[in-house]
Amino acid sequence: MSRPVVIVPGRQAPRRWLVTGAAGMLGTDLAALLRADPAATVTALTRAELDVTDAAAVAAAVAGHDVVVNTAAWTNVDGAETHEAQATAVNGGAVSTLATACAATGARFVTVSTDYVFDGKGEEPYDEYAATDPINAYGRSKLVGEQAVLAVLPETGYVVRTAWLYGAHGANFVRTMLRLAGERETLDVVDDQVGQPTWTGALAGQLIALGQADQAPAGIYHGTASGQTSWFGLARAAFEEAGLDPERVRPTTSDKFVRPAERPKYSVLGHARWAEAGLPPLGDWREMLASSGVAAPSRAV
């Protein structure tokens, strides 16, 4: 199911959109939603079509567009621990390059960041102004990108932090759980990391709405579902949606799955700034999972 594009009353939607990273899970949904809008002209470029670390190529691609939405990213969290410079080149340097190109043409720029800019030691939702303190290389690389946007585009730059993404077009936790359901009788899933599972289809609609909203103040927004759960809770919910027995999912702790990059334990974000933009925040994570269809019985294997 697709979330409809939101058209802001009293404003003609921008006609010329550029989407980078268009072959990714989020980029695919974003491009599809934009193409469904007859008022929009969409250029959707994949990694093979646009190297976002190439300044000349970026400048040429940005020219002639009203809104640029960047979904290109280094997403290998564990790999960033041993390749931090490369991760920062994509998540930091390339974002700065895109922002600079937008500054030169007057385009609005929306880029996607992460909850990993926080240390995960909080006990209540992080608001958009909370102090950042990433605990892994991936988070540090994304923070470089955030800082570049705020510095280069103080009036027309938007950073949308998201987390725990799943969707129909790429590898993600929900799809992995359904695949493993066909391979194992039981699954042990960590119950001591808490966050907000967010469907890429819903986030794509939110990014489009922000790109259209002239009254939206520039800066940081949190694009995650409302509510919260653990990975264990999400796995059980995915089983339920797929018509599988959720009792097959068993809780465990993070120390049973040691990984190169430390993960934040608490990744719940607040959504207060959407009111400033005149837009509602994303809805409840559980309702979102059901409406997304990503865990529908036909997808279970």
Side-chain angles (χ1 to χ4, degrees):
M1 298 174 64
S2 296
R3 174 177 175 166
V5 175
V6 178
I7 305 298
V8 179
R11 185 190 190 283
Q12 181 179 3
R15 297 187 59 86
R16 301 171 300 175
W17 295 75
L18 172 63
V19 178
T20 63
M25 182 168 58
L26 175 59
T28 299
D29 282 347
L30 180 62
L33 276 180
L34 284 169
R35 286 171 175 147
D37 179 4
T41 299
V42 185
T43 305
L45 299 180
T46 67
R47 177 181 177 182
E49 295 167 328
L50 176 63
D51 176 0
V52 291
T53 66
D54 183 331
V58 166
V62 167
H65 292 93
D66 301 305
V67 182
V68 176
V69 185
N70 176 45
T71 68
W74 175 294
T75 58
N76 183 349
V77 175
D78 289 324
E81 292 298 303
T82 51
H83 297 84
E84 185 164 359
Q86 294 95 317
T88 304
V90 177
N91 294 341
V95 174
S96 178
T97 297
L98 283 159
T100 299
C102 289
T105 64
R108 175 176 292 209
F109 182 47
V110 182
T111 194
V112 179
S113 190
T114 176
D115 59 305
Y116 280 27
V117 298
F118 298 116
D119 61 14
K121 298 177 182 177
E123 296 180 350
E124 58 184 33
Y126 291 97
D127 67 33
E128 294 86 348
Y129 303 102
T132 54
D133 185 18
I135 58 175
N136 57 40
Y138 172 75
R140 291 191 293 270
S141 74
K142 295 294 278 188
L143 184 58
V144 171
E146 289 192 7
Q147 293 168 339
V149 173
L150 299 180
V152 176
L153 294 170
E155 302 298 328
T156 56
Y158 300 81
V159 173
V160 180
R161 293 174 179 147
T162 193
W164 293 33
L165 289 182
Y166 64 89
H169 303 291
N172 58 79
F173 180 83
V174 171
R175 295 183 69 188
T176 297
M177 290 298 101
L178 298 182
R179 174 178 59 80
L180 292 176
E183 302 172 3
R184 306 176 189 175
E185 182 57 33
T186 61
L187 299 177
D188 294 335
V189 182
V190 295
D191 197 29
D192 58 358
Q193 294 178 27
V194 178
Q196 296 159 308
T198 304
W199 174 37
T200 52
L203 177 59
Q206 197 79 347
L207 295 175
I208 293 169
L210 184 61
Q212 295 175 176
D214 269 352
Q215 79 277 23
I220 295 171
Y221 292 78
H222 287 167
T224 54
S226 302
Q228 65 183 61
T229 190
S230 67
W231 291 114
F232 166 72
L234 175 56
R236 284 179 61 94
F239 269 51
E240 290 173 357
E241 288 298 321
L244 303 172
D245 181 6
E247 295 302 320
R248 293 172 58 193
V249 182
R250 305 182 305 191
T252 189
T253 54
S254 300
D255 58 0
K256 302 297 194 299
F257 294 92
V258 178
R259 304 175 74 175
E262 183 180 0
R263 265 63 171 176
K265 290 294 186 68
Y266 183 82
S267 289
V268 180
L269 307 182
H271 308 113
R273 284 211 75 207
W274 291 108
E276 298 179 41
L279 298 168
L282 294 175
D284 178 75
W285 76 269
R286 188 63 180 83
E287 295 175 0
M288 183 182 290
L289 178 64
S291 64
S292 72
V294 175
S298 62
R299 295 184 181 273
V301 295

